[in-house]
Amino acid sequence: MHTMFQIISEQFTNFKIIRRMAKFGDRATYQSHYLGLAWEVLNPLIQIGIYYLVFGVALKRGDPMPGVPYLPWMVVGITPWLYMDRSVLDASKSVYQEVGLASKMKFPVSILPSIKIVGNLASFWTMLAFSVFLMLVNHIYPSASWIQFIYYFICMIALLYALGIFNSTVTVLIRDWQITLQSILRMLFYMSGVLFNFATSNFPVLLIRVLELNPFYYVINGMRESLLNKGWVWQEPNLTISIVFWMFVFIMMAVGTFLHNKFRANFVDLI
């Protein structure tokens, strides 16, 4: 427990370094591209266009929520998914790729996943602004429930760091884990309610209850219900699912920080 709180405190103590390294990483990634950082927005927009044509037009999904057209519903959900998907994969590679840099610059290795998570926020905020624009166009206006977005954003960051500290350590110990993680995320994409609403898709009730325990679904559905004015976090079954979500985050954080602390002195040798 002490190790977990120590590593969490390192994130706050070194937040300026995290921000500076995140900005540097964004520029370095696209410095040889003509469109530069514009690809941070173009890539998700292209994916959104493809998914909308397939699921919103070709398969005629209809309105997944009463009074909410498919396009804004999908975009509000796919925005956090694209951010979480990319951040989980980037954070899982962070220690393996950058541990040498951390040893030279003398900052804690534990902030490497945070650098990736913060670095991807620029595209998230841009896509979120696009989501709000689509909602306004479709006559979905701000309400008191929007304040819940702050809570679900905190949930998302906590989940990403818990997974990041765990996956980044396991990736160093087991190189096959990176490939396995990619396959898991592909599967979770369809199990997180990004493209269709479980409740309106004739899924068995028991299966819906199981799928709702997915922590990615919790974040995506929570942001949707907040921004689309469809629910509150303390209502059932959201309250029960909230407890399960935070238990998952706590377990992943505890296990991840334990492994990280145990092997951090040997990362360079293991790589």
Side-chain angles (χ1 to χ4, degrees), residues 139-206:
H139 309 291
I140 302 171
Y141 301 110
S143 71
S145 67
W146 281 34
I147 194 67
Q148 293 181 129
F149 177 83
I150 299 173
Y151 165 74
Y152 286 107
F153 179 79
I154 294 172
C155 290
M156 180 173 67
I157 298 301
L159 174 64
L160 290 177
Y161 187 74
L163 292 174
I165 197 69
F166 174 82
N167 289 326
S168 61
T169 303
V170 175
T171 298
V172 173
L173 302 175
I174 307 172
R175 292 298 300 133
D176 290 347
W177 180 244
Q178 179 67 30
I179 299 175
T180 304
L181 188 60
Q182 292 175 6
S183 300
I184 292 174
L185 287 171
R186 291 192 193 100
M187 178 181 65
L188 286 175
F189 175 69
Y190 296 99
M191 296 176 61
S192 300
V194 178
L195 300 177
F196 48 86
N197 190 342
F198 298 141
T200 60
S201 299
N202 297 320
F203 278 45
V205 176
L206 180 60

Side-chain angles (χ1 to χ4, degrees), residues 40-41 44-45 48 75 79 122-132:
E40 292 277 357
V41 180
L45 285 179
I48 287 171
V75 173
T79 294
S123 61
F124 172 75
W125 293 125
T126 304
M127 291 306 303
L128 183 64
F130 178 64
S131 301
V132 172

Side-chain angles (χ1 to χ4, degrees), residues 201-218:
S201 299
N202 297 320
F203 278 45
V205 176
L206 180 60
L207 179 59
I208 292 175
R209 294 294 173 261
V210 173
L211 292 173
E212 286 176 343
L213 299 178
N214 174 359
F216 291 93
Y217 171 83
Y218 178 76

Side-chain angles (χ1 to χ4, degrees), residues 26-177:
D26 286 342
R27 294 171 183 170
T29 300
Y30 295 101
Q31 64 179 355
S32 61
H33 297 70
Y34 288 113
L35 296 180
L37 291 175
W39 283 112
E40 292 277 357
V41 180
L42 291 176
N43 277 328
L45 285 179
I46 291 170
Q47 292 184 62
I48 287 171
I50 293 171
Y51 291 134
Y52 176 67
L53 289 175
V54 173
F55 292 92
V57 178
L59 298 181
K60 298 179 180 179
R61 296 297 306 171
D63 295 350
M65 277 186 177
V68 181
Y70 182 77
L71 182 59
W73 181 88
M74 182 195 71
V75 173
V76 171
I78 206 171
T79 294
W81 168 260
L82 291 175
Y83 170 67
M84 289 190 290
D85 178 63
R86 180 177 176 184
S87 295
V88 168
L89 291 176
D90 287 352
S92 69
K93 298 180 290 186
S94 59
V95 172
Y96 181 81
Q97 293 178 335
E98 307 291 350
V99 67
L101 179 64
S103 63
K104 293 177 183 177
M105 296 185 66
K106 303 302 180 184
F107 58 76
V109 180
S110 66
I111 73 170
L112 291 176
S114 293
I115 292 172
K116 299 297 183 181
I117 293 169
V118 173
N120 291 329
L121 274 175
S123 61
F124 172 75
W125 293 125
T126 304
M127 291 306 303
L128 183 64
F130 178 64
S131 301
V132 172
F133 169 76
L134 282 179
M135 287 189 291
L136 296 176
V137 168
N138 287 274
H139 309 291
I140 302 171
Y141 301 110
S143 71
S145 67
W146 281 34
I147 194 67
Q148 293 181 129
F149 177 83
I150 299 173
Y151 165 74
Y152 286 107
F153 179 79
I154 294 172
C155 290
M156 180 173 67
I157 298 301
L159 174 64
L160 290 177
Y161 187 74
L163 292 174
I165 197 69
F166 174 82
N167 289 326
S168 61
T169 303
V170 175
T171 298
V172 173
L173 302 175
I174 307 172
R175 292 298 300 133
D176 290 347
W177 180 244

